Amino acid sequence: MRKESSTNTLNRNKISNNCGMAYTLDVIGGRWKPTILWSLLNGKLRYSELKKSIPDVSERILVLQLRELEKDGLINRLVYAEVPPRVEYELTKDGASLQPMLQIISEWGDVHRPHKTKV
């Protein structure tokens, strides 16, 4: 977390407040957020199912990214009063509205990803 008074944070906020694209990239940007959102497009997932669907993400980072997505209103965290506790995540209406954009970004990446040549 950056300090709210840092020049970097102030610049990011200024750009995000004046540019829709910058705001969108700020909210969904990062290594794991698009993958988390993509995983939730098919419906609710328990934390353990989400973790299994993204095996390379660390627990710490997954929790941080989930908290940020929840804070930004893209996902809901559902906690059930059971023993053991059960937690599920689902997209909000705003989160689900990202589906067409995520699809286009994915397709663009598939077309433009450099292909490694076999040695």
Side-chain angles (χ1 to χ4, degrees):
M1 289 295 251
R2 291 190 172 105
K3 291 190 329 186
E4 287 300 313
S5 61
S6 74
T7 303
N8 194 331
T9 299
L10 293 173
N11 287 338
R12 186 191 77 226
N13 291 343
K14 187 183 238 183
I15 292 168
S16 289
N17 289 337
N18 294 311
C19 176
M21 181 175 50
Y23 175 76
T24 303
L25 292 173
D26 193 38
V27 171
I28 68 163
R31 181 170 293 169
W32 301 108
K33 285 183 184 179
T35 305
I36 292 167
L37 294 167
W38 188 262
S39 296
L40 292 171
L41 284 173
N42 292 322
K44 291 180 193 175
L45 289 175
R46 293 179 73 161
Y47 176 82
S48 59
E49 295 169 325
L50 195 52
K51 176 72 175 104
K52 284 179 190 170
S53 74
I54 314 169
D56 295 329
V57 66
S58 71
E59 299 238 354
R60 177 181 167 274
I61 296 300
L62 180 57
V63 168
L64 285 172
Q65 300 283 272
L66 288 168
R67 284 182 186 158
E68 288 180 18
L69 289 167
E70 184 180 15
K71 177 184 71 73
D72 290 330
L74 299 180
I75 64 170
N76 285 323
R77 180 177 185 260
L78 309 163
V79 180
Y80 298 91
E82 300 174 351
V83 177
R86 179 170 53 118
V87 178
E88 292 180 335
Y89 293 91
E90 68 179 356
L91 293 175
T92 61
K93 186 176 179 182
D94 285 345
S97 72
L98 292 168
Q99 191 276 331
M101 181 181 60
L102 292 171
Q103 183 68 44
I104 289 170
I105 291 171
S106 176
E107 290 169 2
W108 188 94
D110 288 342
V111 169
H112 294 90
R113 180 185 312 124
H115 298 306
K116 294 186 178 186
T117 56
K118 295 182 181 179
V119 180

